[in-house]
Amino acid sequence: MSSMNTMRCPNKNVDMVRLRLNWNKKCTIPKRNMPTPAGYLSRSPRCLFIHSAQFNRCPASSTRIVTKATPRADVKLIASDVDGTLLNHQQQLTPAVEAAVKQAAALGVPLVVATGKARGPWAREVLPRLGLTTPGVFLQGLLVYDADGTRLYEQQLPEDVARDCIALAKAQGITLTAYCGERILCAATDGHTDRLSFYKEPPPEAVGDLAQIVGEVPIQKLIFMAEQDVIETLRPRVELLLTGRASLTTALSGMLEVLPLGASKGAGLSWLLEHMGVDPAHVMALGDGENDVEMLQLAGLGVAMGNAAAKAKSAADVVLEETNDEDGVAKAIIRYVLEPRLVAVQAPS
């Protein structure tokens, strides 16, 4: 069974916990009465056998150091990004990740998705497989839906910000998309808007001049789309144009997102946690992008994938070696949700 050694870091008021895992054995977790956030998980915990082929792919010995005072066994909710985190780079939910999410849920630790994407075709494919009964955070925290699709919370981009972005995109000849709930609108479709189909977003709708929809159709966010070097040149200009009026972030290469001022995936998750009655200290957040930074900082345990961007890695408490193509989410759930509960169950009295 796993061994745990605790040492005090002289320079920080936190415990440095080194957890060594060995999953190359059969482990049984008996039934327990685990706390459930605000009744969002109706199933009772059941006896689980954590020795599937997916989990046995874990290295026999894997070490991580966590610089958080919050005990990992206190994780009561998992918040996961989707692209680059929950899904692999082929936009697939792997059996290992699916199994780990369901194992955690059965122990009273459900998962909520927190994504920059719209609640489009990908959601209808992925969420039912996970059996989620929890709400979710979408469009970088600007929309929160209940499990049945009811809108619980929303933010809209100010009209003056939208008009200025539309004018800039038109002047620079840059593609601009407007995310409007479960619709994506654009002046015309092109190679850049076509990229969105790979991520199983709602199909972009060409509506002509986007200026005509401002004030008529609620816009949550805008995305400038171009080659990455163009986006890097454009970003300082957009920052100057929108200073004090909007926030910028990026989730994917070649895209620059414009959000309402102060908005972020972390802010949307914060609202949801209050709605669910969950303390952020008891949340494990998983992410890989710049747009995950606030969420990783909010959570009691922020975990960045091995493929994460530098800003996400800097914001996280743990940086996994495993990427999203190596079942990083499954490995994090095993290490920081399932393993601590197994230790707690089998600890001598």
Side-chain angles (χ1 to χ4, degrees), residues 133-272:
T133 59
T134 48
V137 176
F138 299 83
L139 296 187
Q140 309 295 16
L142 303 177
L143 279 175
V144 177
Y145 292 91
D146 211 341
D148 62 4
T150 302
R151 286 192 188 185
L152 301 176
Y153 170 86
E154 98 176 79
Q155 267 188 285
Q156 296 176 12
L157 198 65
E159 292 181 11
D160 64 303
V161 171
R163 289 194 180 93
D164 286 350
C165 289
I166 292 168
L168 177 61
K170 189 181 301 184
Q172 298 296 314
I174 293 175
T175 299
L176 186 70
T177 54
Y179 278 66
C180 310
E182 296 180 25
R183 300 174 66 196
I184 299 176
L185 308 182
C186 57
T189 57
D190 59 18
H192 295 296
T193 62
D194 289 347
R195 287 182 60 193
L196 299 175
S197 65
F198 174 76
Y199 300 100
K200 299 180 181 178
E201 288 274 48
E205 305 172 39
V207 297
D209 188 359
L210 283 177
Q212 67 183 339
I213 73 167
V214 178
E216 300 297 326
V217 180
I219 299 173
Q220 272 76 43
K221 70 173 185 176
L222 296 169
I223 301 184
F224 289 96
M225 305 181 72
E227 298 301 322
Q228 182 57 27
D229 60 338
V230 175
I231 292 296
E232 290 174 359
T233 301
L234 178 69
R235 184 164 186 164
R237 296 189 61 179
V238 178
E239 289 175 343
L240 182 62
L241 177 67
L242 302 179
T243 298
R245 296 192 292 148
S247 295
L248 303 182
T249 193
T250 183
L252 296 169
S253 177
M255 300 186 192
L256 177 64
E257 305 197 18
V258 180
L259 315 177
L261 185 64
S264 69
K265 192 183 294 187
L269 178 62
S270 179
W271 184 94
L272 177 57

Side-chain angles (χ1 to χ4, degrees), residues 18 26 75 200 236 252 269 279 299:
R18 187 180 300 271
K26 293 184 178 180
V75 173
K200 299 180 181 178
L252 296 169
L269 178 62
D279 187 331

Side-chain angles (χ1 to χ4, degrees), residues 283-297:
V283 173
M284 176 173 73
L286 307 164
D288 75 298
E290 176 187 329
N291 61 325
D292 295 315
V293 165
E294 293 86 355
M295 178 175 73
L296 294 171
Q297 293 172 334

